[in-house]
Amino acid sequence: MFSLKFGGTSMGSAEAIAQTAQIIISHPEQHKSVVVSAMSGVTNLLISAAECATKTDKICYKNYLEEIKEKHITALDTLVTNKDLHTEGKEFIEKKLLGLSGFLHALTVIGEVSSRSNDEIISLGEILSAKLLSLHLKDINEKVEFISLENIVSDMFEHEHIKPDKHFFECFSHKLGKLLTPLLEENITPICTGFFGKIPDGIVNAVGRGYSDFTAALVGKACNATEIQIWTDVSGILSTDPRIVKEAHVIDELSFNEATELANLGAKVIHPQTIWPAVKNNIVVRIKNTMAPNDMGTAITKLGKNSNHSFKSITVQKDITVLTVKSSNMSESGILIDLFQAFASYDISIDLVSTSESSISVTIQNGHKNLSKLVTELEKKYNVEIVHNKSIIAIVGNEMLYNMGVAGRFFSALSNAKININMISQGANESNISAVIAGKDANNAVKVVHKEFFNTI
Ligand code: ASP
Ligand code: MG
């Protein structure tokens, strides 16, 4: 059994959806579950519509709803020729958008969007795209069933103490298995929404945007899949951002650890949470390109494979703030706990940490809403310095364990290009080295490091 996930661009237009359908039909694996994202841009349109509603701007949110309706009806007209199926689709789209319009009207009175309301609103993106794909597949006589996961978790939060943690997702996956396995046994392909329900705090807070990847991973785990395929608009995970280095190449295989590092370090191809359900059940995750289905893509496996380079990929994170805390008694026990607790209490997550006898520096994302409160609190005890607009460049790959001199070459490449390094950190598992540099140097840093290690111009 395979779990196939198709992203926004693979669902972006009638042509893209038809291509996605062909990939499903001609897929060599007989049993598969499909998970889809919203048509590209639709989740953002829904969020904008909600913003207009809270500002009581009815004309503005109605325009957004009209745009969403037109996008789906246009696709439906091309994708579904059978009259009954077409009517079913048209009525479905109109009914759902009418319901949303009523919901947004209520928001104009309340004046704000709670996390739960936000979930209710964005769920529509995946509900409409999954319905569209399932109708198209039925139109061409495929055995499929539309499965909306929007209410699947509603009864799982009866007890207030339940949190959307790993244990919860294990139970959730079990529930998914019960729902999908009978269909698979009858050779029916479920077409599921990437949106999986209204969890406390909202899906965007608990999982984050791009949650459909995670849904596909949970479906894979639920149905004992041998492979989770993430179909997107690039042919795999690349050696670096191709907008910075056009010669960036596709990595053919990565280990679960390397992929987790890359996803957490800002490589945008898969959602960071996608990996753990795969790790738990040792399921291969493969990134594939909908527009070039014959490309092999990138396989993410338990052990990965060593490439013939010194590492696999270079990532860059922009808009970073470095916060340095100075104290004459840094070596006193308990200081780190005190600092980290302060960060946690303001809900600010730390990326890199670097310590010395008299100071500790950490990196966080620029513009966190609680930063000034945290600084005021820390300044009661310490000397605090803040520098904005930094970047983190990192090299990632297990090969570093076996190759000597990688760090030396990395830092030399930066210094030869006259790029100043403010902070250095090596991951405890020795599969990444990160350097904090000025934001303005970020692109050049990626170019020179890529050139040094991958021989590109
Ligand atoms: N459509 C949602 C988003 O844009 C979920 C997804 O694409 O995975 O975040
Ligand atoms: Mg995505």
Side-chain angles (χ1 to χ4, degrees), residues 37-38 43 126 209-213:
S37 290
T43 309
E126 281 80 27
R209 290 290 301 271
Y211 43 81
S212 307
D213 290 355

Side-chain angles (χ1 to χ4, degrees), residues 275-293:
I275 311 292
W276 75 255
V279 175
K280 271 230 115 159
N281 291 34
N282 195 9
I283 310 171
V284 173
V285 179
R286 197 180 296 275
I287 318 294
K288 297 275 289 174
N289 188 349
T290 306
M291 299 308 151

Side-chain angles (χ1 to χ4, degrees), residues 286-351:
R286 197 180 296 275
I287 318 294
K288 297 275 289 174
N289 188 349
T290 306
M291 299 308 151
N294 294 329
D295 287 1
M296 282 308 291
T298 299
I300 304 170
T301 59
K302 191 172 173 188
L303 299 175
K305 192 175 81 185
N306 278 336
S307 67
N308 45 14
H309 299 291
S310 306
F311 57 84
K312 294 205 175 68
S313 184
I314 304 167
T315 63
V316 63
Q317 284 170 283
K318 297 184 176 172
D319 300 327
I320 298 293
T321 294
V322 177
L323 186 150
T324 303
V325 175
K326 293 183 181 159
S327 162
S328 49
N329 55 355
M330 214 62 191
S331 51
E332 229 173 61
S333 65
I335 288 206
L336 283 181
I337 295 185
D338 188 39
L339 287 176
F340 289 159
Q341 265 168 357
F343 278 88
S345 66
Y346 286 101
D347 211 13
I348 300 183
S349 70
I350 296 172
D351 292 322

Side-chain angles (χ1 to χ4, degrees), residues 357-376:
E357 283 297 307
S358 59
S359 70
I360 167 161
S361 296
V362 301
T363 64
I364 57 179
Q365 297 294 320
N366 270 359
H368 194 289
K369 64 178 194 308
N370 292 336
L371 181 61
S372 56
K373 287 187 209 143
L374 170 75
V375 172
T376 313

Side-chain angles (χ1 to χ4, degrees), residues 131-261:
K131 183 74 181 175
L132 210 48
L133 175 63
S134 66
L135 286 172
H136 173 59
L137 284 161
K138 281 188 179 166
D139 195 58
I140 48 182
N141 297 320
E142 288 298 308
K143 272 174 79 182
V144 299
E145 195 163 320
F146 163 66
I147 303 282
S148 175
L149 302 177
E150 70 180 305
N151 289 320
I152 189 165
V153 299
S154 354
D155 61 340
M156 292 175 75
F157 288 103
E158 277 157 7
H159 304 288
E160 267 191 10
H161 66 274
I162 295 181
K163 296 216 153 27
D165 55 13
K166 265 195 190 169
H167 174 70
F168 162 76
F169 286 119
E170 297 272 355
C171 303
F172 170 62
S173 172
H174 188 69
K175 218 171 159 187
L176 273 174
K178 282 198 175 153
L179 177 72
L180 303 177
T181 311
L183 294 173
L184 292 165
E185 278 168 2
E186 285 184 55
N187 289 332
I188 297 171
T189 301
I191 310 290
C192 308
T193 58
F195 180 90
F196 59 78
K198 297 143 193 165
I199 49 185
D201 245 15
I203 200 165
V204 174
N205 285 327
V207 181
R209 290 290 301 271
Y211 43 81
S212 307
D213 290 355
F214 184 45
T215 316
L218 292 173
V219 165
K221 178 170 159 22
C223 304
N224 295 319
T226 45
E227 194 158 311
I228 297 161
Q229 294 192 335
I230 307 288
W231 289 82
T232 178
D233 53 3
V234 286
S235 287
I237 299 182
L238 297 176
S239 55
T240 196
D241 185 340
R243 286 167 304 182
I244 305 176
V245 179
K246 61 177 190 315
E247 299 82 5
H249 57 266
V250 173
I251 306 163
D252 57 351
E253 194 168 329
L254 285 166
S255 68
F256 287 139
N257 276 341
E258 290 170 325
T260 307
E261 295 277 358

